[in-house]
């Protein structure tokens, strides 16, 4: 018999019981549910609402139940509907009337949102640790590969040479923003709804400040209607997961491209920039030679799953009137899935970055193709007083000449350059040297060796300060 069955003459059918039950999902929050109940019981006793003897019995009984669950000996009954009723039923069976007094001044509405906020804080904090592990791997990869040059791309065409370290650090900063979004989601969840009851508060003299302190919340939610109906913090967490998955998907795409040996006829290039460790690849059931980047592909594919979790919750929330509605039971499963998926993908990506082998020679070879020095040749003329747009046109003609001859800019003679402009001198060869091209870009945030080294140090400081927030 359900704990709320007093008003009903008959129970729900077996199908509707299973259809309406949230226990298969919310039993994961047993630890948070027990923590909230302990705090509530202690507060009730301190306020004289229940006796200290009852509170002690409740706290001890909850501890026994928690141990039983952790040992795997607790029987979850679908007829209990949710984790709150499941625990309360067994508590009352074990300790008698004291257990039945636990729910005084409380509703499942403020109970479930308390559990969910505590659980969301835990999920966000765990993911922040995961993100930092990946950021650490990216910084190490950047340090280990200083001086390695690869083609930078726009529109998937060769554009300008950049340091591989600079490329790794671009992703470091993406994941730094992901850390900040997860921290914002943590902060959004860090407010106490307990004591709001069903929607209107309660006539009992509850001390919400006491449960706020015991449960580790930063503040109390000031409006009971908002407290039981708000799921913005879950949207924030879903959004943070979605953006992080998009970043992982982008990085996965590059890993897949970099690991292929396919010849690209449109720019005469071939990747083979990296070799993914065997532990992050699979083979073929029919083709013995295959080494497939399956796990990078899986990460890329799972991004759609997490974005779908966000869309599902947005759609659920879009037209709900105040205060609590059963629709809100659908708030947890997607978030749990998004966080678990992001966790798995972050761990997988950290492993791939930490173990991949870099083929610096292949990157350098491809950096000599596709006229990557063209911008620097134009800058050479502009620095001699020629308007940049005119310089751009002249170098465009030189590139066209190379296309017709089937050569690159550094294959042209000084006479070829002078025929395009008298401003070219013998020192034009310096504008064609990869190391010089890269090193010259010393503006803040550029790919020059010196500023990338400074960027790596700045990144290390940022990571250290973010890690300090988790201690």
């Amino acid at each position: 018999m359900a704990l709320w069955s007093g008003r009903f003459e008959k129970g729900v059918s077996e199908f509707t019981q299973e259809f309406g039950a949230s226990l298969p999902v919310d039993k994961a929050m047993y630890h948070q549910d027990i923590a909230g109940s302990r705090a509530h019981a202690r507060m009730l006793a301190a306020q004289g609402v229940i006796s200290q003897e009852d509170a002690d019995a409740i706290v001890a009984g909850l501890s026994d139940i928690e141990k039983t669950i952790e040992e795997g000996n607790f029987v979850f009954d679908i007829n209990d509907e949710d984790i709150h009723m499941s625990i309360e039923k067994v508590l009352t069976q074990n300790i008698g009337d004291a257990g039945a007094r636990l729910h005084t001044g409380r509703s499942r509405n403020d109970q479930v949102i308390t559990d969910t906020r505590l659980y969301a804080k835990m999920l966000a904090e765990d993911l922040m640790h995961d993100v930092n592990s990946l950021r650490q791997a990216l910084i190490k990869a950047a340090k280990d590969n200083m001086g390695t040059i690869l083609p930078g791309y726009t529109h998937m065409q060769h554009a300008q040479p950049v340091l591989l370290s600079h490329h790794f650090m671009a992703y470091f900063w993406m994941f730094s923003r992901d850390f900040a979004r997860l921290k914002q989601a943590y902060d959004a969840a860090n407010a106490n709804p307990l004591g709001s009851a069903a929607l209107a508060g309660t006539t009992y003299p509850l001390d919400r400040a006491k449960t706020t302190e015991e449960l580790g919340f930063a503040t109390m939610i000031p409006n009971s209607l908002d407290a039981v109906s708000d799921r913005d913090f879950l949207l924030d967490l879903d959004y943070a997961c979605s953006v992080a998955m998009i970043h992982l998907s982008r990085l996965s795409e590059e890993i897949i491209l970099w690991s292929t040996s396919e010849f690209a006829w449109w720019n005469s290039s071939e990747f083979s920039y990296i070799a993914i460790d065997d532990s992050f690849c699979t083979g073929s059931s029919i083709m013995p030679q295959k080494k497939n980047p399956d796990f990078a592909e899986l990460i890329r594919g799972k991004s759609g799953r997490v974005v779908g979790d966000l869309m599902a919750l947005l759609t659920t929330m879009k037209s709900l009137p105040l205060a609590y509605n059963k629709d809100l039971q659908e708030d947890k499963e997607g978030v749990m899935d998004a966080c678990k998926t992001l966790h798995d993908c972050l761990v997988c990506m950290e492993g791939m970055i930490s173990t991949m082998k870099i083929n610096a020679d292949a990157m350098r070879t491809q950096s000599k193709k596709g006229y990557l020095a063209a911008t620097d040749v134009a800058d050479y003329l502009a620095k001699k007083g020629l308007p940049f747009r005119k310089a751009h046109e002249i170098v465009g003609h030189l590139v066209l000449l190379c296309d017709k001859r089937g050569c690159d800019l550094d294959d042209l003679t000084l006479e070829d350059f002078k025929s395009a402009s008298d401003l070219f001198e013998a020192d034009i060869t310096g504008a064609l040297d990869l190391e010089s091209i890269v090193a010259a870009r010393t503006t803040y945030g550029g790919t020059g060796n010196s500023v990338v080294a400074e960027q790596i140090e700045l990144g290390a400081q940022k990571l250290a300060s973010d890690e300090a927030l988790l201690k």
Side-chain angles (χ1 to χ4, degrees):
M1 185 68 70
L3 296 180
W4 43 259
S5 61
R7 183 252 183 270
F8 292 80
E9 293 184 349
K10 62 180 180 179
V12 297
S13 69
E14 181 178 350
F15 170 78
T16 52
Q17 178 67 34
E18 292 186 6
F19 180 73
S22 63
L23 185 59
V25 173
D26 63 29
K27 67 182 181 181
M29 302 191 304
Y30 74 89
H31 179 75
Q32 288 74 24
D33 192 74
I34 288 173
S37 291
R38 283 198 194 103
H40 185 67
R42 291 188 179 113
M43 180 274 296
L44 290 177
Q47 295 298 104
V49 177
I50 65 174
S51 69
Q52 187 62 52
E53 181 182 5
D54 280 349
D56 291 342
I58 289 169
V59 170
L62 289 170
S63 296
D64 290 340
I65 291 173
E66 186 172 38
K67 182 180 179 181
T68 303
I69 295 174
E70 290 172 347
E71 291 174 345
N73 297 322
F74 189 88
V75 178
F76 291 102
D77 186 348
I78 196 68
N79 291 315
D80 294 332
E81 190 174 345
D82 56 38
I83 186 62
H84 329 297
M85 288 189 167
S86 186
I87 289 175
E88 184 181 335
K89 183 186 77 172
V90 174
L91 178 67
T92 303
Q93 289 172 351
N94 291 348
I95 68 172
D97 285 348
R101 294 189 178 97
L102 170 61
H103 210 56
T104 306
R106 184 174 72 169
S107 165
R108 276 191 299 170
N109 293 356
D110 64 337
Q111 185 178 1
V112 67
I113 194 59
T114 300
D115 295 0
T116 305
R117 284 179 173 273
L118 290 171
Y119 197 76
K121 285 175 61 179
M122 179 193 72
L123 292 175
E125 186 171 5
D126 288 347
L127 288 172
M128 284 189 276
H129 283 290
D130 295 334
V131 167
N132 284 351
S133 294
L134 177 54
R135 292 164 74 196
Q136 188 66 57
L138 287 165
I139 279 190
K140 184 177 187 305
K143 288 180 178 178
D144 291 347
N145 292 281
M146 277 296 291
T148 298
I149 297 173
L150 80 160
Y153 295 82
T154 61
H155 307 280
M156 274 310 295
Q157 304 291 315
H158 283 198
Q160 292 177 287
V162 297
L163 290 178
L164 177 59
S165 300
H166 191 52
H167 201 104
F168 280 135
M169 289 304 294
Y171 282 101
F172 172 88
W173 294 114
M174 290 185 205
F175 292 113
S176 295
R177 295 192 295 273
D178 291 325
F179 179 92
R181 271 181 283 271
L182 288 165
K183 179 62 168 61
Q184 289 166 355
Y186 177 95
D187 291 342
N190 198 16
N192 184 18
L194 192 59
S196 299
L199 76 162
T202 178
T203 59
Y204 293 98
L206 305 186
D207 184 351
R208 293 188 63 200
K210 181 175 178 60
T211 57
T212 297
E213 180 179 3
E214 179 165 342
L215 292 172
F217 284 115
T219 187
M220 294 177 282
I221 298 175
N223 184 289
S224 60
L225 286 166
D226 185 42
V228 299
S229 62
D230 171 38
R231 297 299 186 274
D232 290 357
F233 67 98
L234 292 181
L235 289 170
D236 291 342
L237 184 52
D238 258 342
Y239 176 70
C241 290
S242 296
V243 178
M245 284 300 304
I246 296 301
H247 291 156
L248 286 169
S249 181
R250 295 179 68 182
L251 181 52
S252 294
E253 175 70 7
E254 299 212 282
I255 288 173
I256 293 164
L257 285 172
W258 288 358
S259 65
T260 185
S261 58
E262 189 68 25
F263 182 76
W265 60 267
W266 60 88
N267 61 8
S268 300
S269 68
E270 184 178 352
F271 284 102
S272 298
Y273 290 172
I274 63 170
I276 304 175
D277 190 81
D278 287 356
S279 57
F280 296 98
C281 295
T282 63
S284 165
S285 64
I286 189 173
M287 296 168 283
Q289 83 281 11
K290 295 298 294 295
K291 181 179 178 181
N292 300 324
D294 276 13
F295 296 99
E297 292 171 349
L298 267 175
I299 292 172
R300 186 177 59 183
K302 286 178 181 291
S303 62
R305 173 176 179 161
V306 175
V307 172
D309 289 328
L310 171 61
M311 292 301 104
L313 185 55
L314 282 168
T315 305
T316 297
M317 296 300 300
K318 73 176 180 64
S319 58
L320 291 185
L322 292 175
Y324 183 83
N325 298 272
K326 189 68 167 177
D327 311 50
L328 292 174
Q329 184 172 296
E330 293 296 303
D331 64 348
K332 291 173 282 297
E333 188 170 10
V335 174
M336 291 177 180
D337 176 72
C339 292
K340 176 64 165 61
T341 302
L342 177 57
H343 163 77
D344 292 346
C345 291
L346 286 167
V347 171
C348 189
M349 182 58 74
E350 189 273 332
M352 278 193 287
I353 295 295
S354 298
T355 58
M356 69 170 56
K357 294 181 180 178
I358 305 297
N359 187 346
D361 291 338
M363 292 182 180
R364 183 177 180 81
T365 297
Q366 296 309 317
S367 296
K368 293 181 178 180
K369 300 178 181 179
Y371 316 115
L372 268 65
T375 303
D376 290 78
V377 176
D379 285 342
Y380 174 94
L381 294 174
K383 289 173 182 176
K384 291 200 171 188
L386 193 69
F388 182 79
R389 285 303 174 199
K390 182 63 177 176
H392 186 286
E393 181 182 359
I394 289 171
V395 178
H397 287 309
L398 288 172
V399 169
L400 181 60
L401 175 64
C402 290
D403 272 343
K404 292 178 178 179
R405 291 184 181 178
C407 68
D408 209 336
L409 286 169
D410 59 0
D411 296 315
L412 298 177
T413 65
L414 180 58
E415 289 71 25
D416 292 326
F417 282 106
K418 280 189 168 295
S419 67
S421 173
D422 290 336
L423 293 174
F424 284 116
E425 301 292 344
D427 62 351
I428 183 57
T429 56
L432 304 176
D433 176 69
L434 284 175
E435 278 74 16
S436 298
I437 291 171
V438 170
R441 282 166 165 75
T442 56
T443 51
Y444 182 82
T447 197
N449 301 63
S450 60
V451 288
V452 169
E454 292 172 0
Q455 182 189 162
I456 291 173
E457 178 57 31
L458 179 64
Q461 294 172 8
K462 174 61 175 170
L463 179 57
S465 67
D466 286 346
E467 288 179 332
L469 294 174
L470 300 175
K471 294 178 181 177

